[in-house]
Amino acid sequence: MATIGFVGLGNMGGPMAANLVAAGHTVYGLDLSPDARARLKDAGGNPVESVAEAVASADVVVTMLPAGTHVRKVYGGETGILANARPGTLLIDSSTIDVDSARAVAKDAAAAGMKMVDAPVSGGVAGAAGGTLTFMVGGPDEAFEAAKPYLEIMGKTIVHAGGAGTGQAAKICNNMLLGISMIGVCEAFVLAERLGLDHQKLYDISSTASGQCWSLTSYCPVPGPVETSPANRDYQPGFAAAMMLKDLKLAQEAASASGASTPLGAEAAALYNLFCNQGEAGTDFSGIIRFLRGAETA
């Protein structure tokens, strides 16, 4: 069993850390929230109050942080992970951040004698709690093989995308596709409503026809057809619209930097920005159907 330092015990990181504890590992967890630290303690983990305490004796360090600026700060400097972890420590960053930050931190980690992978996730809070996340992993082969046993405790599907930063590239490409497809599914239901077509009838047809996609069959944006979708819980997240907007912005930044043409990605980012600015940032991203219903009559 390993000693694991876990930094970032929020809605995703907390359940992921708890799964590592349940598997028999010793977990030292850090979060700014006292409630998050208390939940780790209740799960059998060891809450701490500094990066140094979390990583000093760790064989493995896992981070789950909001943005690239946070990752750079937590890993860098005299109080950061790289200055306080032992050489040879395995580092797993499961934050969703920009590719440049992921590659910069990985380069610094290698210089410090540590193995590192960027391993963002898909699957939401339910996947984190159930240990069924998908991990998109970037990093050297050796680091990926070292990280895989720990990722398999927290997830169901583990894919090695390539070198450093490719996990982040895969995540932002996937979530750009998800944002676009959700808007398309929502528009189809809004049109169906206008044409007098029942939600369930559209679902029964499209879920077995060429319009089938994950946004329809696993995360249907109207109540009824898919019992587990947030639409049946008044669009409680799930995956909040603010998080979708963050990922769409990352995709647009990457598209601009690389010269890629992503007109639908840009439009999806613009629509989610409007949705969030209406006070819906904390609403599940499938709730954008409510915005689209209003837009058609505006």
Side-chain angles (χ1 to χ4, degrees):
M1 292 293 103
T3 297
I4 300 174
F6 204 114
V7 182
L9 302 170
N11 290 335
M12 295 293 292
M16 291 164 66
N19 284 333
L20 291 169
V21 172
H25 296 294
T26 299
V27 177
Y28 293 90
L30 173 65
D31 196 277
L32 295 176
S33 166
D35 289 343
R37 296 196 301 271
R39 285 192 292 271
L40 177 66
K41 185 175 182 179
D42 290 342
N46 305 284
V48 297
E49 297 189 3
S50 72
V51 168
E53 288 180 274
V55 308
S57 62
D59 305 301
V60 182
V61 175
V62 183
T63 49
M64 177 60 91
L65 300 164
T69 53
H70 304 99
V71 171
R72 287 177 183 259
K73 182 177 180 180
V74 165
Y75 277 89
E78 293 183 1
T79 61
I81 291 169
L82 299 183
N84 288 278
R86 299 174 297 182
T89 301
L90 171 64
L91 309 175
I92 302 171
D93 180 38
S94 288
S95 316
T96 296
I97 62 173
D98 60 288
V99 174
D100 288 344
S101 290
R103 288 177 174 160
V105 174
K107 182 178 179 180
D108 291 343
M114 302 179 197
K115 301 184 290 290
M116 184 169 192
V117 295
D118 50 284
V121 304
S122 179
V125 175
T132 59
L133 294 168
T134 293
F135 283 91
M136 296 150 269
V137 188
D141 291 347
E142 180 185 4
F144 172 73
E145 291 301 329
K148 193 174 180 182
Y150 305 100
L151 300 178
E152 287 175 338
I153 293 168
M154 300 181 286
K156 184 178 180 180
T157 302
I158 319 297
V159 180
H160 190 193
T166 58
Q168 299 297 346
K171 175 65 183 288
I172 60 176
C173 289
N174 178 77
N175 278 21
M176 182 180 73
L177 177 58
L178 175 60
I180 292 167
S181 68
M182 179 56 76
I183 290 170
V185 171
C186 289
E187 288 187 351
F189 275 104
V190 170
L191 178 59
E193 290 166 1
R194 286 284 177 157
L195 297 175
L197 176 61
D198 178 74
H199 287 164
Q200 187 66 51
K201 296 296 185 183
L202 175 60
Y203 177 86
D204 291 344
I205 294 165
S206 292
S207 64
T208 58
S210 55
Q212 190 278 329
C213 63
W214 188 91
S215 293
L216 174 65
T217 56
S218 295
Y219 221 77
C220 187
V222 297
V226 177
E227 183 179 351
T228 56
S229 72
N232 295 297
R233 307 189 305 273
D234 194 30
Y235 301 99
Q236 297 175 30
F239 186 56
M243 300 306 293
M244 174 55 77
L245 178 59
K246 170 197 164 185
D247 290 354
L248 289 169
K249 286 181 175 179
L250 287 173
Q252 287 309 294
E253 291 168 7
S256 178
S258 63
S261 176
T262 57
L264 291 179
E267 184 63 24
L271 287 170
Y272 273 101
N273 188 56
L274 290 170
F275 183 53
C276 288
N277 285 340
Q278 288 190 346
E280 301 282 8
T283 300
D284 189 81
F285 82 104
S286 61
I288 198 168
I289 191 169
R290 301 194 296 204
F291 169 80
L292 295 170
R293 288 187 183 114
E296 69 179 351
T297 58

